[in-house]
Amino acid sequence: MTQDHSKPPSAFVCLMTGLPMKEPMMSRHGKHYERSAVLEWINNGNYFCPITRKPLRPSFLVSDKNL
């Protein structure tokens, strides 16, 4: 089986934008998002995770430097 090296591993791709993350943030629910995308989501009045639908606030996010 050959690997497709043109696409980054899915763990490095933002669930909201579909693009590789430069500043990954992890929610308390274990989902990863690009920092600017998830903060814009919250600032637009969306106080729930777009994936899990559980509550989401800026204080529920941590920088994930391991990615």
Side-chain angles (χ1 to χ4, degrees):
M1 180 190 295
T2 62
Q3 277 187 308
D4 181 2
H5 294 285
S6 64
K7 293 183 181 180
S10 62
F12 294 97
V13 176
C14 175
L15 295 170
M16 296 178 76
T17 66
L19 299 172
M21 293 181 281
K22 295 178 183 175
E23 293 183 77
M25 301 290 287
M26 184 174 68
S27 74
R28 65 168 51 166
H29 313 296
K31 302 300 179 191
H32 288 87
Y33 305 101
E34 175 60 39
R35 181 180 185 277
S36 61
V38 71
L39 291 178
E40 181 178 345
W41 172 262
I42 294 168
N43 289 335
N44 285 332
N46 300 297
Y47 300 111
F48 54 89
C49 174
I51 305 301
T52 66
R53 308 310 262 182
K54 294 179 181 177
L56 183 63
R57 304 280 186 272
S59 61
F60 295 0
L61 300 166
V62 294
S63 178
D64 190 346
K65 297 180 195 259
N66 292 323
L67 283 181

